Amino acid sequence: MKHVARSTLAALLLTPVLATGALAGSEDVVVENAWSRASIGTSRPCAAFMEVRNAGDEAVTLTGLRSDLAMMSEIHRVTTDARGVSTMAPAGAIVIAPEETVAVAPGVMHVMLMHLRRPMQEGESFPLTLTFSDGGKVTVAAPVLGIAARGPEG
């Protein structure tokens, strides 16, 4: 019985140490080149894009995001099969290695903004908050470009 109690106590004491190393680093995240396309009303989802860079020396895990503009937001990954047919599905948690940049870009991944609360109009911007496994958050203003925009450069 004493052995079980000691093992349990050791596990409880070690857990915060392990968690700290695995969850550290969202303060080193830099979000750049965020943008979105204008929406077609509110009945259709819209997409946002950005680059998420980990400037730290430990991996960070992007676990979710939200915007007051949409009732539901998630990152979708695009895959293309051998026949050239593309599909998308939720990406889940995304681990970003130290000094790595993840491109949330057309044809690769996108932030799917679903059940819009209002139309997204060209020329405005909206806040998008990324959440990480360590509880950290990074908020960025995403400008809304034209409905056919291919990126911030035009």
Side-chain angles (χ1 to χ4, degrees):
M1 187 66 167
K2 285 183 183 179
H3 177 68
V4 173
R6 265 188 256 143
S7 296
T8 303
L9 180 59
L12 289 172
L13 292 174
L14 188 56
T15 299
V17 172
L18 294 174
T20 301
L23 301 177
S26 66
E27 68 277 358
D28 294 319
V29 171
V30 179
V31 180
E32 301 171 309
N33 302 315
W35 65 282
S36 180
R37 292 185 180 117
S39 68
I40 301 172
T42 59
S43 62
R44 299 203 44 192
C46 204
F49 309 94
M50 70 197 78
E51 295 168 355
V52 184
R53 181 169 49 93
N54 178 1
D57 57 4
E58 294 185 41
V60 296
T61 303
L62 174 61
T63 57
L65 45 87
R66 72 172 200 79
S67 172
D68 291 339
L69 183 64
M71 288 186 249
M72 187 173 157
S73 305
E74 58 190 19
I75 294 182
H76 285 185
R77 187 176 309 275
V78 178
T79 56
T80 305
D81 67 17
R83 298 174 304 168
V85 177
S86 294
T87 57
M88 66 178 171
I94 298 171
V95 177
I96 308 169
E99 301 300 324
E100 180 179 288
T101 297
V102 170
V104 181
V108 179
M109 282 191 278
H110 56 274
V111 175
M112 182 67 80
L113 301 166
M114 298 170 278
H115 309 291
L116 297 176
R117 297 177 194 274
R118 62 177 177 77
M120 297 170 58
Q121 298 179 351
E122 184 176 357
E124 67 182 15
S125 65
F126 64 95
L128 187 60
T129 302
L130 289 72
T131 56
F132 295 87
S133 59
D134 66 351
K137 296 178 181 186
V138 175
T139 300
V140 62
V144 179
L145 306 180
I147 200 161
R150 302 193 51 79
E153 63 282 343

